[in-house]
Amino acid sequence: MRRYALTLLAGVAVLAAIWALDPFRDYQIATAAGYLSAAAGLTVLIGQSGQLSLGHGALMAIAAYTVALVQNAFGAHNVSTQWTLVVSLAAGVAAATVSGAVIGVAAARLRGPYLAGLTLVVAVAVPSVGTLAGGVFHGDQGLPVFLPGAPAWLGADFPYERWQAVLALATALLTMVVLVAATGGGFGRAMRAVRDDEVAAALAGVHVARVRVLAFVLSAACAGLGGGVFAVLAQSVSPSAFSLTLSLNLLLAIVVGGLGSLAGAVWGSVLLVLLPWLTDSLARAVSLSPGAQTRLAGNLPLAIFGLLLIIVMIAAPSGVQGLLHRAGRWARGVPRRLARRVDPSSQDASNKDAADQDAATHGAEPDAPLASRS
Amino acid sequence: VDRFLFLTVDGLSRGAVYAAFALALVLIWRGTRIVNFAQGVLAVATSYVAYSVAGATGSYWLGFAAALAAGLVLGAVVERLVMRRVAQAPPLNAVIVALGLVLLAQGVLGMVYGTQYLPFPAPFSRVAMTVAGVPLLSRFDLFVFGTVLLVMVGLAVLFTRTATGLRMRAAAFAPEVARLLGVSVGRALTLGWALAALVGALAGMLVIPTGLGLHPTAMDLVFVSAFTAAVVGGLDSPVGAVVGGLAVGLVLSYVGGYAGSASTPVAVLALLVVVLLARPGGLFAGTGARRV
C-alpha cells in the first residue's frame, strides 16, 4: 500500500507543480514523463526479469507511428475531440504490445549477448521501415500528427504545453501504478526467481518461458505508451527521433537510477531531460562560436551519457537508488554487516516491501542482480 | 545474369569485410565471453584517425597505417581501463559498459569532427574491370579480398603456430591453469583486445569507402551485419565467422540489389531471427551444455 500511496502522492505533487511553472518547464516535465513510461517498463524487464532489450526505442517508434496514423485518420474525418487521443494511444499500445510479444517469444529462447544482439538489430531495422515505406510513413521527413487543442473549459489562454504535460503525467502515472502492482505480487516474485536461477525457478513451479514472455509484453506496452506520448508531444513522428541512441538513452536512464528500481527510473528520466538542457545553457553561457555550439549541441550530452554509463556500471552498479538506500541506512546508524543480514533489498528501495516479503517466504536474497561483484 | 554476377562479386567483397569484422567479435568472445558491442564505434574512431592523418600528410597509406596503429592502442586501452573492471561481473554489465563506450565515442567524435558525412576515398578504383565483356570486379574489390585473406592467414598462423598464440589460447580456454603454468592471462587478454580492434580498424578502412562516407554512426549497420554473421557461424567458431560473413554479405547484396538498399536492415533482422530460432548456437556449433 505504501508504494501506491507514494506513487500517487508524487504524481499529484508534480501535477500541482505544472500549474505554477511556465510552459517551457511544463514541456520538459512532459518529456520526462514520456521517457518515464518507457524507462519504467524497461527497468522492470532488465532489472527484474533479467532480459536485456536494446529494442525499446523501436517499440516506441511503432507506437508513435500508430498514434500518428490513427490521429490523422480522425483528422481526415474532421473528428476533433479529446477521446480520439485515448483511442489512438490505446491503438499505439496495442501495436507495441503485439510487436513486443513477437520479440518476446523469440527472446524467451535466447540468452545474454544473443538477446542483446537481436534487440539491437530490431532497434536498427525498425526505423528504416519508416524510410522504406515512404508512401505511408513519409520517409525521413516523417508524419505530422493531427491533434485536438487543449479542452475549451480550461480557458482560452491555457498553454498547450501545460495540457501536454497533464496528458503525459497521467499516462506516466498509469504506467507506474500498473508496474507497482505487477512487480509487487506473485508475478514480480516469479520474474526475480527466473532472473536469479531459471532451473531453480522451474523446479519451484514457475513457468519460466511464460514469465519471460509476459515480462517482455508488459514492458513493450509501457514503451508503447511512452512512444505514443512522444508523438503527442512532438506533434510529428520521424525515423530519426527513434534511432538506436534513444534505446541507449533509456538504458542509461535506468542504469543511473538503479536497475530494477521504479523510483530509479524517475531519476533517470529527469536526467535525460535535464542534462541536454544544462549543457546547452552552459554552452550558451560561455558564448562559443555558433559552429562550436552546433557541434556541442546533442554531442556533449551524448558523450556525458556514455561516460556516466561506464562510470556508474563500474563504480556503483546499483545506481542512485542504491546510493540513496545506503545513505539512508548509514543515517539510521545501522552497521554495515548487520544491515546486510537484516535488510536484503540492498538495491531496490521502492521494492523494499516486496523484497522483505520475498525474503520471508523464500528465505532467499531477492534483489541485487548486478549490485555486487564477487 | 550480368547483374546477378555483379551482385555476387559485390556481395562476396562486402562479405569478406563482414567476415573480418565477425572474426574480431569471435576473437574477443572466445577470450572473455564478452560480445564487444563497441567494436563498430572503435572502427569508426580509427577511421577518423586515418582521415586526419591522411588529410595532414596527403598520403592515404600513412593514414591507413595510423588507423591500424590506433586500433591496436585503442583496443588495449579499452581492455585495460574499462573492460577488465567488469570481467568478473554478471555478463549484462559488460554489455552495458560497451554500449556506454558507443555513446561516449559517438559524442566525442561528433564534437571533434561534426556530424556531417565526410568524404572517405578508396585507395583504388571502384569501377569494375570487364572480363570477357562482363563488368566483374574492381581493383578495390581485389584489394579487399587480398587484405582480408592476409588477415585470416595471419591470425591462423598466430594462433596455431606461435608461442604467443598458444598462450592466448590457453588464457582463453583455461585461465586458472594457464596462470599456474606461468602465462600472464591479463596480458594475453589485452593482446586479444588489441588484435581484435586492429582487425576491426582494418575492416572499417575497407568498408567505409563503399558507404555514404565517414560519420559517427557509419558502422552501426556494419556491426549489426557482422554480429549476424558471427551468430550465423556460431560465436565460438572462427571458420564459422568467415563463412557466416560471406553468406551475410551475399544475402545483403542480393536483397539490396533487387529490393532497394533501404531494405537491407530488415533483411539482416529476418536472417538473424531465422538463424536464432532454427539454430541458436550457429551453423558450426558443436553440442554443448549450458551451465546452470
mmCIF file of all heavy atoms in Angstrom, chain A residues 21 95 157 193 273 374:
data_model
loop_
_atom_site.group_PDB
_atom_site.id
_atom_site.type_symbol
_atom_site.label_atom_id
_atom_site.label_comp_id
_atom_site.label_asym_id
_atom_site.label_seq_id
_atom_site.Cartn_x
_atom_site.Cartn_y
_atom_site.Cartn_z
ATOM 1 N N LEU A 21 4.435 26.431 -13.005
ATOM 2 C CA LEU A 21 5.617 26.652 -13.838
ATOM 3 C C LEU A 21 5.233 27.232 -15.186
ATOM 4 O O LEU A 21 4.082 27.192 -15.606
ATOM 5 C CB LEU A 21 6.362 25.329 -14.032
ATOM 6 C CG LEU A 21 6.966 24.758 -12.748
ATOM 7 C CD1 LEU A 21 7.397 23.324 -12.964
ATOM 8 C CD2 LEU A 21 8.143 25.610 -12.289
ATOM 9 N N ALA A 95 -0.310 -1.935 -30.686
ATOM 10 C CA ALA A 95 0.679 -2.260 -31.718
ATOM 11 C C ALA A 95 2.014 -2.630 -31.091
ATOM 12 O O ALA A 95 2.650 -3.629 -31.467
ATOM 13 C CB ALA A 95 0.838 -1.080 -32.673
ATOM 14 N N ASP A 157 -6.613 30.954 -22.630
ATOM 15 C CA ASP A 157 -5.170 31.224 -22.544
ATOM 16 C C ASP A 157 -4.408 30.102 -21.836
ATOM 17 O O ASP A 157 -3.298 30.310 -21.358
ATOM 18 C CB ASP A 157 -4.928 32.570 -21.835
ATOM 19 C CG ASP A 157 -5.576 32.599 -20.463
ATOM 20 O OD1 ASP A 157 -6.380 31.675 -20.179
ATOM 21 O OD2 ASP A 157 -5.283 33.526 -19.683
ATOM 22 N N ALA A 193 12.698 -14.636 -9.556
ATOM 23 C CA ALA A 193 13.166 -16.018 -9.432
ATOM 24 C C ALA A 193 13.777 -16.488 -10.744
ATOM 25 O O ALA A 193 14.857 -17.087 -10.770
ATOM 26 C CB ALA A 193 12.004 -16.920 -9.029
ATOM 27 N N VAL A 273 16.257 14.540 -19.494
ATOM 28 C CA VAL A 273 15.756 15.838 -19.944
ATOM 29 C C VAL A 273 16.668 16.962 -19.482
ATOM 30 O O VAL A 273 16.967 17.892 -20.229
ATOM 31 C CB VAL A 273 14.326 16.057 -19.431
ATOM 32 C CG1 VAL A 273 13.833 17.445 -19.786
ATOM 33 C CG2 VAL A 273 13.406 15.003 -19.991
ATOM 34 N N SER A 374 31.653 -10.336 -7.351
ATOM 35 C CA SER A 374 32.293 -11.284 -6.452
ATOM 36 C C SER A 374 33.794 -11.203 -6.626
ATOM 37 O O SER A 374 34.283 -10.924 -7.692
ATOM 38 C CB SER A 374 31.820 -12.687 -6.758
ATOM 39 O OG SER A 374 32.021 -12.967 -8.124
#
